[in-house]
């Protein structure tokens, strides 16, 4: 049985990424899947990128904060003044922003994998929409879940029903 550590939303916090990695190692993770939002708004930049390279996730999904950074680098952003300042800070603290932005841009928004006969859809937000804006049409994507159940973490979002999902290291 392979244990897969699934993590996301590091948001510029190197201590958080180091803690996730240490916990995954302690649980015997044999694979790592990163589901987006490595940078911003937290202060850690280049050391955070280097730590992600050390972890070397086999799956890397682009989150909305990666999109913000890539569009800022390309000059095609439509971000708020505050968001632009955050992205400029990140770009100024990367050793090779062009190469890193090209790498981030190559990450998919959605990926499907099959593990032990279970099909798993992975995305940071919606499979075809990373902006956080809800689509007017009904999303016709199957949902798959294969989690361990210790502990259960409640999640709530405005205008969405309350539900719970397990916080987990996924085992296959």
């Amino acid at each position: 049985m392979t244990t897969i550590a699934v993590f996301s939303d590091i948001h510029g916090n190197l201590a958080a990424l180091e803690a996730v990695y240490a916990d995954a190692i302690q649980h015997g993770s044999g694979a790592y899947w990163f589901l987006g939002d490595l940078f911003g708004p937290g202060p850690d930049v280049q050391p955070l990128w280097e730590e992600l390279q050390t972890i070397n996730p086999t799956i890397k999904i682009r989150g909305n904060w990666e999109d913000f950074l890539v569009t800022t680098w390309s000059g095609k952003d439509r971000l708020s003044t505050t968001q632009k300042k955050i992205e400029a800070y990140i770009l100024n603290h990367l050793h090779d922003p062009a190469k890193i932005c090209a790498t981030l841009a190559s990450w998919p928004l959605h990926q499907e994998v099959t593990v032990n006969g279970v099909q798993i859809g992975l995305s940071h937000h919606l499979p075809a929409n990373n902006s956080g804006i809800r689509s007017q049409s009904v999303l016709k994507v199957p949902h798959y879940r294969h989690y361990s159940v210790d502990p259960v973490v409640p999640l709530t979002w405005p205008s969405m029903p309350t539900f719970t999902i397990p916080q987990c290291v996924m085992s296959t």
Side-chain angles (χ1 to χ4, degrees):
M1 177 167 52
T2 300
T3 300
I4 301 168
V6 179
F7 61 103
S8 69
D9 296 282
I10 299 301
H11 288 291
N13 186 336
L14 180 60
L17 182 58
E18 291 170 338
V20 165
Y21 188 40
D23 190 57
I25 290 170
Q26 182 179 2
H27 283 89
S29 295
Y32 302 91
W33 296 352
F34 177 64
L35 305 186
D37 283 4
L38 182 65
F39 300 117
D44 299 314
V45 182
Q46 187 65 38
L48 193 62
W49 178 253
E50 292 166 3
E51 183 70 7
L52 186 70
Q53 301 316 296
T54 298
I55 296 168
N56 193 25
T58 54
I59 292 176
K60 294 179 269 307
I61 301 292
R62 193 172 74 243
N64 53 309
W65 280 81
E66 282 83 26
D67 283 346
F68 297 156
L69 191 62
V70 169
T71 58
T72 299
W73 176 254
S74 69
K76 298 177 183 176
D77 66 86
R78 294 180 292 163
L79 303 173
S80 70
T81 302
T82 302
Q83 186 73 41
K84 287 180 183 185
K85 288 179 183 177
I86 294 168
E87 300 309 322
Y89 172 87
I90 295 166
L91 290 168
N92 288 331
H93 287 84
L94 289 171
H95 294 165
D96 191 347
K99 182 178 179 182
I100 292 171
C101 285
T103 299
L104 297 174
S106 73
W107 294 355
L109 288 179
H110 177 75
Q111 187 170 342
E112 292 193 10
V113 295
T114 302
V115 179
N116 294 342
V118 177
Q119 187 176 8
I120 304 168
L122 301 165
S123 58
H124 181 76
H125 187 60
L126 297 174
N129 179 351
N130 216 14
S131 71
I133 299 169
R134 292 177 59 174
S135 171
Q136 298 299 318
S137 62
V138 175
L139 182 65
K140 295 182 180 177
V141 176
H143 299 277
Y144 307 95
R145 190 181 324 179
H146 183 80
Y147 299 111
S148 62
V149 292
D150 184 27
V152 173
V153 177
L155 298 177
T156 60
W157 286 276
S159 76
M160 292 184 74
T162 300
F163 63 100
T164 59
I165 64 167
Q167 180 183 31
C168 68
V169 174
M170 188 174 75
S171 296
T172 59

